[in-house]
Amino acid sequence: EMRIKMLREHIDTMEKSMMMIKDIQKREDINYNQLTRWINNKEKHANKFQHIVTQYYMTQRIKPGTDNYEKKLVLLHRMVVYAMKCKQTTDMDHIEELRECVDKFEKLYFKEKK
């Protein structure tokens, strides 16, 4: 599914941005313009991730009364929250949580489609 792939690409980009932010912050001579660009990039991809989760899956795809409705909503909500945490920090644990949630959601969502 294209949107699952897009979610994973946004996670990868947030992760790279976090690594670059950490790397820049370690330097003796910090380039604040470069630091700002990586922070903005991380936040932009977190927003795009949240948009797919809310506007595509929660609004259009997940219908009340379907199998595992509540489980899917919980996973989608966790994804939105962890994307927000990725915006606010450079904690790689949030990246891993996002990946796990996407994997679990993909299995639940496509189990029905088969």
Side-chain angles (χ1 to χ4, degrees), residues 15-29:
E15 180 181 42
K16 179 181 179 183
S17 298
M18 286 180 181
M19 291 187 298
M20 294 304 295
I21 290 164
K22 288 178 178 186
D23 181 58
I24 292 167
Q25 289 174 329
K26 288 179 194 170
R27 298 177 191 167
E28 199 169 302
D29 186 25

Side-chain angles (χ1 to χ4, degrees), residues 33 38 69:
N33 290 330
W38 282 109
Y69 174 71

Side-chain angles (χ1 to χ4, degrees), residues 78-94:
R78 286 183 66 203
M79 285 188 247
V80 171
V81 170
Y82 282 110
M84 174 203 61
K85 290 178 186 242
C86 286
K87 272 196 264 189
Q88 297 172 340
T89 71
T90 54
D91 186 341
M92 293 296 180
D93 290 342
H94 302 317

Side-chain angles (χ1 to χ4, degrees), residues 4 6 10 41 43 55 72 84 87 98 100 107:
I4 295 289
M6 289 168 71
H10 289 308
N41 191 55
E43 291 179 0
Q55 298 304 307
K72 287 183 233 170
M84 174 203 61
K87 272 196 264 189
L98 276 180
E100 287 176 24
K107 286 178 183 143

Side-chain angles (χ1 to χ4, degrees), residues 17-85:
S17 298
M18 286 180 181
M19 291 187 298
M20 294 304 295
I21 290 164
K22 288 178 178 186
D23 181 58
I24 292 167
Q25 289 174 329
K26 288 179 194 170
R27 298 177 191 167
E28 199 169 302
D29 186 25
I30 296 175
N31 181 332
Y32 288 99
N33 290 330
Q34 193 177 25
L35 180 63
T36 301
R37 280 194 295 275
W38 282 109
I39 291 168
N40 288 340
N41 191 55
K42 175 177 64 104
E43 291 179 0
K44 179 178 83 174
H45 285 275
N47 285 334
K48 288 181 177 187
F49 182 96
Q50 289 175 318
H51 183 79
I52 292 169
V53 170
T54 58
Q55 298 304 307
Y56 181 72
Y57 285 107
M58 293 179 99
T59 305
Q60 298 177 38
R61 308 307 297 171
I62 307 303
K63 307 287 187 226
T66 58
D67 288 344
N68 298 307
Y69 174 71
E70 291 81 8
K71 287 181 183 178
K72 287 183 233 170
L73 283 183
V74 167
L75 285 170
L76 291 168
H77 182 256
R78 286 183 66 203
M79 285 188 247
V80 171
V81 170
Y82 282 110
M84 174 203 61
K85 290 178 186 242

